[in-house]
Amino acid sequence: MSLIVQKYGGTSVGTLERIQTVADRVGRGSKAGHQLVVVVSAMAGETNRLLELAGKLAVQPFEREVDVLLSTGEQETAALLAIALQERGYAARSFLGHQIRIDTDSAFGRARIRSIDGERLRSALQRGEIAVVAGFQGVDEEHNITTLGRGGSDTSAVAVAAALKADVCEIYTDVDGVYTSDPRICPQARKLQRISHDEMLELASLGAKVLQIRSVEFAKRYNVPVHVRSSFDDSEGTWVVPEEDGMEDILVSGVSLDRDQTKITVRRVPDRPGIASAILGPIAAANIVVDMIIQNASAAGDADVTFTLPKTDFRRALAMVEQTAQSIGAQEVSADTDVVKVSVVGLGMRNHAGVAARMFDTLAREGINIQMISTSEIKISVVIDAKYGELAVRALHAELVEKPPPAET
Ligand code: ADP
Ligand code: ASP
Ligand code: MG
């Protein structure tokens, strides 16, 4: 008998028929003798629908109330799945975040899980019940409802699996695994049998929304075996695992596209100590995560500072930067919301030079201009014009994933 945590994403519970299909699958697992905790997302589109409702009443609704609102999406599916299971004769019980004490900090809309008291879930399992948990939500010290950021049900699931020391956390979704690129953009993408935590962390942070990044952090830290697979069939999916021998032999294991990018440039700021901190300090203090930063000095004693940040924070950040620019005597602030970030990721890059050159050469051949570049040990990212995003992904996939690697010299 295994203890299995299963997570079903929005599309997989998108209609009552799909919830019935999920109930059948969960039921089969239970009949096979497994102990099951099932974490559910809101029905597809529901979180966006709720966000739009709030947006119709206020330009910037209070984040606390937005979390109260958004958490209802997952509450709905948890109850519906429990009802569907009970109707099939299974003992099932739904749990909301606060009922199993998924404790988080108070960062509404992007809360981090601090701890989970698995006691109520364990007792439910001991009673022979199937526990159905509303994903994406938790509770802070003051008993406020919090949510974990878009895609957060993945993190709920892996965190619950870690707390219960589950044998496996199965992430059921609308693709049958993790691919070398988003299969909706790149038809040549192929399914990976296994991917290392570090590569998956990079891909998740670079726009591959198949797993929320924090879920991969939990999986790595607590060594939770994660199996990403399809809710539509029984095929074997992709295992997210610690690094194994041979993984470094593959140069590039994924190409990703992040559309959630905007770019702000402050032109001709005086080139003296403290300028970057004057511009970026207030943004960091407002909890906005800046991604790439470049500063280039001119011979005339001034500099341009350019950085990228998520679309949701763009308006707030721009207002702050405009204020700072005035106070430090910068010439102008310009912004570009039509940019994307394209990245290539692979453990093999640690030991092989030349991937960057091949990447830039491929983009040049397609006539795509690179606006910014950033690298780490196992990834290279570029910011480019949004309209070339998908073309860049396909071209880079063809060159760096589909082609055999060049012979060693
Ligand atoms: P769920 O609602 O089940 O959480 P998501 O929409 O959040 O599903 O994530 C699954 C989607 O992630 C897929 O439909 C696919 O378009 C996208 N995706 C992006 N990059 C990848 C990748 N490398 N491998 C698989 N899917 C990917
Ligand atoms: N319903 C939330 C979202 O749409 C959480 C999730 O699906 O993981 O982002
Ligand atoms: Mg998701």
Side-chain angles (χ1 to χ4, degrees):
M1 181 177 72
S2 305
L3 199 173
I4 302 176
V5 175
Q6 300 187 334
K7 177 257 172 178
Y8 292 89
T11 314
S12 308
V13 292
T15 60
L16 286 182
E17 291 71 46
R18 294 221 164 131
I19 290 178
Q20 305 267 29
T21 308
V22 168
D24 290 337
R25 183 189 287 272
V26 173
R28 285 198 298 278
S30 174
K31 273 214 186 99
H34 301 304
Q35 290 187 312
L36 288 166
V37 177
V38 185
V39 177
V40 285
S41 287
M43 293 166 91
E46 179 64 5
T47 308
N48 286 341
R49 188 186 73 85
L50 293 168
L51 270 174
E52 271 167 34
L53 287 181
K56 284 195 174 132
L57 296 175
V59 182
Q60 278 221 319
F62 277 97
E63 289 176 314
R64 178 187 184 280
E65 305 313 326
V66 173
D67 278 7
V68 173
L69 179 67
L70 294 192
S71 66
T72 63
E74 272 69 12
Q75 174 164 348
E76 180 182 37
T77 26
L80 288 172
L81 179 58
I83 291 168
L85 285 165
Q86 287 154 0
E87 188 60 18
R88 282 163 176 69
Y90 298 100
R93 183 185 292 247
S94 66
F95 293 96
L96 302 182
H98 69 88
Q99 293 174 317
I100 49 169
R101 290 232 53 103
I102 299 193
D103 282 326
T104 72
D105 61 19
S106 303
F108 297 114
R110 55 176 94 93
R112 281 182 175 270
I113 296 178
R114 286 186 169 152
S115 64
I116 297 179
D117 172 10
E119 216 27 66
R120 284 196 75 183
L121 288 177
R122 270 188 219 104
S123 332
L125 294 176
Q126 267 155 22
R127 287 194 300 270
E129 290 171 1
I130 298 169
V132 182
V133 174
F136 182 52
Q137 53 179 266
V139 61
D140 75 1
E141 260 171 14
E142 315 272 289
H143 306 284
N144 296 304
I145 292 174
T146 55
T147 65
L148 310 179
R150 299 310 301 265
S153 299
D154 297 330
T155 304
S156 308
V158 180
V160 164
L164 297 177
K165 300 196 171 52
D167 295 293
V168 57
C169 181
E170 298 179 330
I171 304 285
Y172 286 93
T173 182
D174 56 5
V175 273
D176 59 358
V178 179
Y179 277 66
T180 48
S181 189
D182 187 340
R184 288 179 215 288
I185 299 174
C186 182
Q188 304 302 328
R190 57 181 175 76
K191 184 164 76 181
L192 297 161
Q193 284 180 332
R194 302 164 92 73
I195 184 167
S196 70
H197 288 130
D198 289 340
E199 287 167 307
M200 195 61 238
L201 278 173
E202 291 282 10
L203 283 177
S205 75
L206 296 168
K209 68 172 184 164
V210 62
L211 284 178
Q212 197 198 36
I213 182 165
R214 285 180 194 163
S215 70
V216 190
E217 287 167 1
F218 267 101
K220 183 177 178 187
R221 183 160 1 130
Y222 297 103
N223 221 348
V224 180
V226 170
H227 185 190
V228 180
R229 54 191 304 194
S230 168
S231 64
F232 304 127
D233 60 45
D234 285 329
S235 58
E236 181 83 0
T238 302
W239 288 86
V240 186
V241 294
E243 191 174 330
E244 295 167 349
D245 285 350
M247 279 183 165
E248 273 195 351
D249 297 346
I250 297 164
L251 205 55
V252 171
S253 47
V255 182
S256 67
L257 175 65
D258 186 352
R259 294 189 168 94
D260 184 25
Q261 293 280 311
T262 55
K263 191 178 85 173
I264 296 180
T265 301
V266 193
R267 279 190 213 292
R268 305 204 61 176
V269 297
D271 192 10
R272 58 177 154 76
I275 285 299
S277 131
I279 295 172
L280 299 169
I283 294 178
N287 239 328
I288 297 174
V289 181
V290 165
D291 181 13
M292 288 190 210
I293 306 168
I294 46 174
Q295 173 174 341
N296 35 5
S298 80
D302 49 40
D304 291 349
V305 177
T306 304
F307 56 92
T308 59
L309 72 170
K311 286 203 160 89
T312 36
D313 298 319
F314 174 69
R315 269 205 272 167
R316 265 190 322 145
L318 187 61
M320 283 179 216
V321 174
E322 275 168 348
Q323 223 177 15
T324 317
Q326 261 193 344
S327 67
I328 59 175
Q331 191 188 50
E332 67 163 335
V333 176
S334 64
D336 191 349
T337 50
D338 277 328
V339 291
V340 291
K341 180 167 66 175
V342 177
S343 312
V344 302
V345 172
L347 292 177
M349 279 190 236
R350 280 186 198 142
N351 305 322
H352 295 266
V355 178
R358 279 172 73 195
M359 179 175 188
F360 304 152
D361 184 52
T362 306
L363 295 172
R365 267 188 280 124
E366 299 293 336
I368 300 172
N369 186 41
I370 300 171
Q371 302 177 15
M372 297 172 88
I373 300 169
S374 92
T375 62
S376 79
E377 202 190 14
I378 63 164
K379 74 117 205 270
I380 306 166
S381 300
V382 295
V383 170
I384 60 171
D385 193 332
K387 65 174 181 279
Y388 298 123
E390 298 200 357
L391 171 66
V393 167
R394 286 191 285 267
L396 291 170
H397 192 273
E399 172 66 29
L400 296 169
V401 181
E402 291 160 47
K403 258 197 196 172
E408 295 282 336
T409 47

